[in-house]
Amino acid sequence: MLDTNLKAQLAAYMERMTQPVEIVASLDDTPASGEMRALLKDIQEASPRVTVTETAGGPYRTPSFAINRPGENHGPRFAGLPMGHEFTSLVLALLQVGGYPPKVEQALLEQIRALDGDFEFEVYVSLTCHNCPDVVQALNLMAVQNPRIRTTMVEGGLFQDEIKEREIMGVPTVFLNGTMFGNGRMSLEEILAKVDTSGSEREAKKIAAKDPFDVLIVGGGPAGAAAAVYAARKGIRTGIASERFGGQVLDTLGIENFISVKETEGPRFALALEEHVRNYEVDIMNLQRAKALKTGAGLIEIELESGASLKAKSVVISTGARWRNINVPGEKEFRNKGVAYCPHCDGPLYKGKRVAVIGGGNSGVEAAIDLAGLVAHVTLVEFDTKLRADEVLQRKLRSLPNATVITNAQTTEITGDQKVNGMAYKDRASGEVRKIDLEGVFVQIGLVPNTEWLKGSVELSKHGEIVVDARGQTSVPGVFAAGDATTVPFKQIIIAAGDGAKAALGAFDHLIRN
């Protein structure tokens, strides 16, 4: 099942295990079970601490296997083959069940162990989804830490009947005790916040009691991370409040243009950002969404959605941007029911179906090309009279036999019943409204800055971007900004990181001069 190199890597990782591990598999004579049997054989051969047993039938999905400590039965379960992006989830589950300590703050581990209740999680994934492993790994860790928590990764491509029955149109999708729990990327902190509301209240009180910072960064993407590193290296009291560390990078699959890093993936890059920041004395406050900015006597105050407030002598705003909505009837109603924003994550769920991509820039054309390899047919719909993507991408798309390009078209509606069944657009030349029958719509029309909370407090452009000068200074003394939320042109990771460093240096210069 595994090639020689992967077997060697697995064996090296499993040397870190300190406790025996029992894998119990539910298998039959199908080819899928045969593949799982071969994988488990490779795992068993990689470490003398691992034993594998098989059962036929029973209450569990087939094929599936659970990873337990001897005498326990609440360990993580994998229904389907955990390969692709989920191979890391498999390795981490083996290590953690085998006694290797997780790289998680002790306070979070204690919060997991203190959860009172029985929790049965099911997380549906596709093996090409780069958002899914974060959710799978968080739930696996919880199952290892608390015997009243159980979790199963379900590979949607193998268990198609469940996908149809539960009308799952996007991954990751999580069910808790048989009821929909959440869609999309969720960190361990986010999951805990949803199941332990008292934990959020405790964290808000803890944050409200913090002393003022010299520099407070709001936002944890590349710009925020760079600002935090540069500020902390000056030896000043630095904090960073972030809704999710990594920001939009977490939703990016391939990164090939960050100089000195030949190739990486968004989630891996985001993890590296956080690890770099944690090497310094930076107070990282996750799951904190900014609500308002206020200025007072010598201090700047950031109000948070949690009800807490943070104060600082200077602030760097790096709240980034998010996917732009088309804002037509049906988009909101059918989100995760046929309306999607990540072709890499959700594309495999539309295998053999008809889909549309809205947007003719690089991201839209790239999405259409990727989807064409999976779906029966892809239609790209562009508002302008011509596509805006690079010519090489346009040629590739137009060469595909199952791709259609429609330009000068205004999307007017996404239709459906329980899920998407079509879309309508207006031909801007003739005014005629036309309809397309399909099962999925992928929206790829650019970004909108996360600056609504700043209206009335700092100067914004007509596009909602924070107006900054060459030093990252905003219209408010002591308030700086960096990254995709600002008027700086060319929204790129490397530019955001550079702007974050510049804004932090600007903030430090402001402090020493005032």
Side-chain angles (χ1 to χ4, degrees):
M1 179 65 195
L2 303 179
D3 61 35
T4 303
N5 289 334
L6 208 52
K7 286 181 181 179
Q9 292 177 24
L10 180 62
Y13 280 123
M14 293 176 69
E15 287 178 359
R16 304 176 187 180
M17 294 166 52
T18 60
Q19 300 176 11
V21 169
E22 292 181 348
I23 297 178
V24 180
S26 177
L27 303 173
D28 55 21
D29 295 329
T30 61
S33 286
E35 290 183 337
M36 183 172 289
R37 190 176 285 112
L39 173 63
L40 297 181
K41 182 175 182 292
D42 289 340
I43 294 173
Q44 186 172 23
E45 292 176 349
S47 173
R49 296 186 181 275
V50 175
T51 59
V52 177
T53 58
E54 290 187 22
T55 62
Y60 302 111
R61 294 174 179 87
T62 300
S64 70
F65 65 92
I67 304 174
N68 295 308
R69 296 185 180 120
E72 297 181 355
N73 66 351
H74 61 89
R77 178 171 288 274
F78 294 89
L81 213 60
M83 298 301 292
H85 288 294
E86 293 301 342
F87 187 71
T88 301
S89 302
L90 168 63
V91 173
L92 286 175
L94 287 165
L95 292 179
Q96 290 169 12
V97 174
Y100 188 75
K103 294 181 179 180
V104 175
E105 294 179 12
Q106 188 61 34
L108 288 177
L109 295 178
E110 292 174 358
Q111 185 180 359
I112 295 168
R113 294 165 187 157
L115 287 175
D116 184 20
D118 295 310
F119 303 89
E120 180 80 36
F121 289 100
E122 300 163 289
V123 52
Y124 289 85
V125 308
S126 70
L127 300 183
T128 58
C129 170
H130 60 285
N131 289 323
C132 295
D134 280 0
V135 181
V136 173
Q137 291 163 25
L139 294 173
N140 285 351
L141 185 148
M142 292 172 65
V144 173
Q145 296 294 321
N146 188 325
R148 299 182 68 180
I149 299 173
R150 299 172 189 269
T151 182
T152 302
M153 180 215 82
V154 184
E155 201 275 286
L158 184 60
F159 293 91
Q160 282 288 334
D161 289 344
E162 293 186 37
I163 295 292
K164 293 177 182 177
E165 181 182 350
R166 286 182 156 176
E167 297 184 341
I168 296 170
M169 303 296 291
V171 290
T173 292
V174 181
F175 284 78
L176 172 58
N177 296 336
T179 302
M180 173 70 75
F181 178 76
N183 294 103
R185 175 188 294 277
M186 289 182 285
S187 66
L188 176 61
E189 293 92 338
E190 289 172 306
I191 294 170
L192 284 173
K194 291 189 71 171
V195 298
D196 182 15
T197 55
S198 62
S200 300
E201 295 171 1
R202 291 194 301 271
E203 185 64 19
K205 291 180 180 178
K206 181 180 174 182
I207 287 175
K210 292 181 183 290
D211 293 331
F213 293 94
D214 292 318
V215 176
L216 174 65
I217 295 106
V218 184
V229 169
Y230 269 75
R233 285 174 63 86
K234 293 296 184 181
I236 56 180
R237 178 169 160 74
T238 304
I240 181 167
S242 171
E243 188 172 0
R244 57 173 190 161
F245 208 103
Q248 194 192 353
V249 166
L250 291 166
D251 302 323
T252 303
L253 182 58
I255 298 173
E256 299 177 348
N257 56 0
F258 194 89
I259 307 306
S260 82
V261 180
K262 183 178 179 181
E263 181 181 358
T264 187
E265 295 176 345
R268 187 182 303 170
F269 187 81
L271 179 61
L273 290 177
E274 185 169 359
E275 288 178 344
H276 195 173
V277 173
R278 289 189 182 277
N279 280 338
Y280 295 90
E281 292 185 9
V282 177
D283 189 342
I284 298 177
M285 294 159 280
N286 270 324
L287 299 186
Q288 302 304 320
R289 183 183 178 90
K291 180 181 180 181
L293 181 148
K294 296 182 177 180
T295 55
L299 290 175
I300 302 161
E301 183 177 356
I302 299 294
E303 290 186 0
L304 304 173
E305 291 284 359
S306 66
S309 291
L310 292 165
K311 295 181 179 180
K313 298 175 183 177
S314 65
V315 168
V316 175
I317 300 169
S318 56
T319 45
R322 64 187 183 276
W323 289 115
R324 185 183 298 276
N325 295 324
I326 50 176
N327 293 319
V328 300
E331 179 184 21
K332 182 178 180 181
E333 293 83 350
F334 297 112
R335 185 167 296 173
N336 295 316
K337 296 179 181 178
V339 174
Y341 299 83
C342 179
H344 302 292
C345 302
D346 299 333
L349 299 179
Y350 295 84
K351 185 175 182 179
K353 298 180 180 180
R354 299 158 300 171
V355 303
V357 173
I358 299 176
N362 280 351
S363 61
V365 173
E366 287 175 349
I369 292 170
D370 289 344
L371 289 166
L374 294 168
V375 302
H377 191 273
V378 57
T379 301
L380 187 140
V381 180
E382 165 57 29
F383 181 85
D384 204 350
T385 56
K386 60 182 179 180
L387 301 183
R388 294 166 285 109
D390 295 341
E391 183 59 32
V392 64
L393 295 174
Q394 293 190 42
R395 287 199 302 269
K396 174 63 176 177
L397 177 62
R398 294 184 188 279
S399 73
L400 300 175
N402 63 335
T404 300
V405 176
I406 301 174
T407 57
N408 207 20
Q410 179 183 355
T411 301
T412 57
E413 184 182 10
I414 297 173
T415 61
D417 185 6
Q418 297 298 317
K419 54 187 178 181
V420 168
N421 61 21
M423 65 170 285
Y425 70 91
K426 181 174 73 174
D427 185 317
R428 295 177 61 222
S430 66
E432 180 184 357
V433 175
R434 300 173 181 173
K435 295 184 178 181
I436 307 173
D437 293 330
L438 42 76
E439 288 79 36
V441 176
F442 290 81
V443 181
Q444 301 278 294
I445 59 170
L447 303 170
V448 59
N450 297 316
T451 57
E452 292 87 351
W453 63 284
L454 292 168
K455 289 181 179 178
S457 57
V458 300
E459 182 184 358
L460 302 177
S461 73
K462 65 179 182 180
H463 301 296
E465 298 169 321
I466 305 168
V467 177
V468 293
D469 64 15
R471 301 163 68 87
Q473 172 72 58
T474 71
S475 59
V476 178
V479 177
F480 296 77
D484 288 2
T486 73
T487 51
V488 172
F490 311 121
K491 313 303 186 186
Q492 297 290 313
I493 294 172
I494 196 165
I495 293 174
D499 283 347
K502 181 170 61 177
L505 294 175
F508 179 73
D509 185 66
H510 169 82
L511 291 174
I512 61 177
R513 293 177 183 274
N514 293 274

